[in-house]
Amino acid sequence: MARIVQKFGGTSVGDIERIKNVARIVKRQVDGGDQVTVVVSAMSGVTNDLVAKVRAIAPMHDAREYDTVVATGEQVTTGLVALALHEAGVAARSWQAWQIPFRTDDAHGRARILGIDTARLEERLAEGQVPVVAGFQGIGTDGRITTLGRGGSDITAVALAAALRADRCDIYTDVDGVYTADPRIVARARKLDKITFEEMLELASQGAKVLHTRSVELAMNLGVRLQVLSAFTGAPGTMVVDEDEIVEQHVVSGIAYSRDEAKITVVRLADRPGVAAKLFGPLAEAGINVDMIVQGGSEDGAHADMTFTVGKADLLPALKALEVRKKDLGYHSVVHDSSVVKVSVIGVGMRSHAGVAAKMFSALAERGINIQAISTSEIKISVLLSEEYTELALRTLHTAYGLDAA
Ligand code: ADP
Ligand code: ASP
Ligand code: MG
């Protein structure tokens, strides 16, 4: 007998037929002799609708009431999936975060997990009952409902798998597994049988939303075996594994993109020691994450332009922070652009191979795509491009690195 956590995303529980399909998948696993705990997302589109309703009433909403509203989508699906399981002859019951309890801090909208008390779930598992747990939500230290951040049901599933010492966490979604690039954009993307935790973490944090970044981080740190597979096709999925389990290693394993970027250029800053600290200090204090940075000198040698990127949601706060300090920083002007995309190529093979960046730059140049900023890490190279080139850049790079399906 294995102990498995099965997580079903929004599309997988998107309508009544699909919920019945989920019950069949769970039943098959239970009939195979395994002990199963289910984690569900809200039906697809529901969380977006709830967020829109909150914003329509209060653009600067109270984060606690936001969580009260947006966590409800998962309550509905826990009940519906439990009912579908009953109909299929499987003993099951729904669990909301507060009933477990699944405890978090009080950072509403982006709460961190403090601990999961598994005693009550263990009791039910021992009785042969399938717990159907609401993903995405928690209960804060003040007893109020929290949420873990958009796409956070993946985090619930992995954290629960760790707490229950499950043998595996299966993430059921609307694609067959993790691909070399988003299969909705790159038709020739290939499904990977295996991917390393490190690469998956980079792919996720650079925009591949198939797994939430924090779920990968948790799985890596807590030693959870993680699989991504389809709720619809029955095809084998992708296992996320340690590096030593990969036999054949490509230099580049995957390509990700993120449209959640905004570019800011501070024009004609006085170029003297300490100017970067003076510029980025206040942004950090305002909780704004700066990602890519490019500094360009001016001809007179006395001034510099500083270009950097922030998440789209941080654009206005960043502009405000710069405006407030205009006199102190002594710049000429600030320009910004939100129609940009960050494209990243990722692979642990980069550590031991030269020329990966050069190939990226020449492949993009051949297509006439201008690079606006570059950043690198040990296993990743990211470039900032004009948003209109998203598809072309992804497909071009996919071919250039030999990733295309035969
Ligand atoms: P769920 O609702 O099941 O959590 P998500 O929409 O969050 O599903 O994640 C699945 C989606 O991730 C896919 O439909 C796909 O478009 C997208 N995606 C982006 N990059 C990749 C990738 N490299 N491999 C697979 N899917 C990807
Ligand atoms: N329903 C939540 C969302 O749409 C959580 C999730 O789907 O993982 O963000
Ligand atoms: Mg998701």
Side-chain angles (χ1 to χ4, degrees):
M1 179 200 81
R3 183 173 267 200
I4 312 286
V5 170
Q6 297 183 320
K7 179 255 170 177
F8 295 92
T11 319
S12 312
V13 292
D15 60 32
I16 298 304
E17 265 324 299
R18 289 178 171 186
I19 285 176
K20 290 181 179 169
N21 174 56
V22 164
R24 284 192 290 272
I25 295 174
V26 176
K27 181 176 164 52
R28 206 176 308 135
Q29 196 88 43
V30 170
D31 287 348
D34 292 332
Q35 216 174 41
V36 179
T37 299
V38 174
V39 172
V40 289
S41 293
M43 295 166 92
S44 56
V46 166
T47 312
N48 284 346
D49 278 352
L50 293 167
V51 171
K53 287 189 171 93
V54 169
R55 291 198 178 136
I57 289 193
M60 301 292 286
H61 46 260
D62 179 327
R64 292 163 298 189
E65 303 306 353
Y66 166 95
D67 278 351
T68 304
V69 176
V70 303
T72 57
E74 274 70 12
Q75 177 161 344
V76 172
T77 43
T78 54
L80 292 175
V81 169
L83 287 169
L85 284 167
H86 298 167
E87 292 299 306
V90 178
R93 111 155 228 199
S94 61
W95 291 87
Q96 309 313 305
W98 61 270
Q99 296 170 320
I100 296 176
F102 187 105
R103 292 181 298 104
T104 71
D105 64 13
D106 301 318
H108 286 273
R110 51 187 167 87
R112 295 262 165 180
I113 299 166
L114 295 180
I116 307 169
D117 187 348
T118 54
R120 303 182 67 193
L121 298 180
E122 288 285 1
E123 269 171 36
R124 302 306 178 100
L125 283 167
E127 291 166 11
Q129 196 182 66
V130 173
V132 183
V133 176
F136 182 49
Q137 52 171 260
I139 176 164
T141 63
D142 56 358
R144 299 198 62 167
I145 294 167
T146 58
T147 62
L148 308 177
R150 295 305 308 273
S153 296
D154 296 335
I155 308 171
T156 308
V158 171
L160 205 52
L164 289 168
R165 300 184 197 291
D167 297 286
R168 207 175 61 236
C169 181
D170 286 344
I171 306 285
Y172 284 88
T173 184
D174 55 4
V175 284
D176 282 338
V178 180
Y179 280 68
T180 46
D182 188 340
R184 292 187 201 290
I185 295 198
V186 181
R188 299 174 77 179
R190 273 187 300 113
K191 188 182 74 185
L192 298 162
D193 296 331
K194 293 177 181 175
I195 185 164
T196 67
F197 278 108
E198 246 185 303
E199 288 168 323
M200 192 61 239
L201 193 58
E202 282 282 11
L203 273 177
S205 66
Q206 298 308 322
K209 68 173 185 165
V210 60
L211 284 174
H212 194 293
T213 308
R214 269 162 60 204
S215 74
V216 184
E217 211 168 46
L218 270 184
M220 186 159 87
N221 293 338
L222 302 175
V224 174
R225 282 186 73 75
L226 192 57
Q227 179 175 218
V228 179
L229 66 174
S230 165
F232 306 111
T233 66
T238 302
M239 283 299 305
V240 189
V241 298
D242 290 324
E243 207 171 323
D244 55 13
E245 281 186 59
I246 302 260
V247 195
E248 189 202 0
Q249 186 62 60
H250 292 270
V251 178
V252 167
S253 302
I255 306 179
Y257 71 98
S258 165
R259 288 194 169 101
D260 180 31
E261 311 290 323
K263 183 180 76 165
I264 299 176
T265 301
V266 183
V267 181
R268 279 180 75 81
L269 274 162
D271 192 9
R272 55 174 176 253
V275 65
K278 221 161 149 187
L279 179 66
F280 293 117
L283 294 175
E285 274 163 35
I288 295 166
N289 246 329
V290 172
D291 182 14
M292 308 170 103
I293 301 177
V294 184
Q295 180 174 347
S298 66
E299 279 170 17
D300 62 8
H303 294 90
D305 291 349
M306 195 77 85
T307 297
F308 57 93
T309 62
V310 297
K312 275 202 165 84
D314 282 337
L315 176 61
L316 288 180
L319 294 175
K320 211 165 173 184
L322 292 172
E323 179 63 36
V324 170
R325 287 170 185 77
K326 178 155 199 239
K327 235 187 178 154
D328 189 26
L329 290 166
Y331 59 79
H332 175 267
S333 54
V334 172
V335 288
H336 58 90
D337 181 4
S338 292
S339 22
V340 288
V341 63
K342 182 173 60 170
V343 174
S344 308
V345 301
I346 290 142
V348 292
M350 277 184 211
R351 287 198 197 110
S352 47
H353 286 80
V356 183
K359 181 175 271 184
M360 184 174 197
F361 304 152
S362 59
L364 294 173
E366 269 167 35
R367 294 290 182 153
I369 302 174
N370 186 42
I371 298 172
Q372 304 181 16
I374 302 167
S375 71
T376 63
S377 78
E378 205 188 3
I379 66 162
K380 177 209 80 184
I381 305 164
S382 303
V383 289
L384 193 72
L385 312 171
S386 172
E387 192 177 15
E388 62 189 305
Y389 293 125
T390 309
E391 282 84 3
L392 181 62
L394 286 169
R395 291 179 191 139
T396 298
L397 295 173
H398 201 266
T399 306
Y401 288 108
L403 296 174
D404 287 352

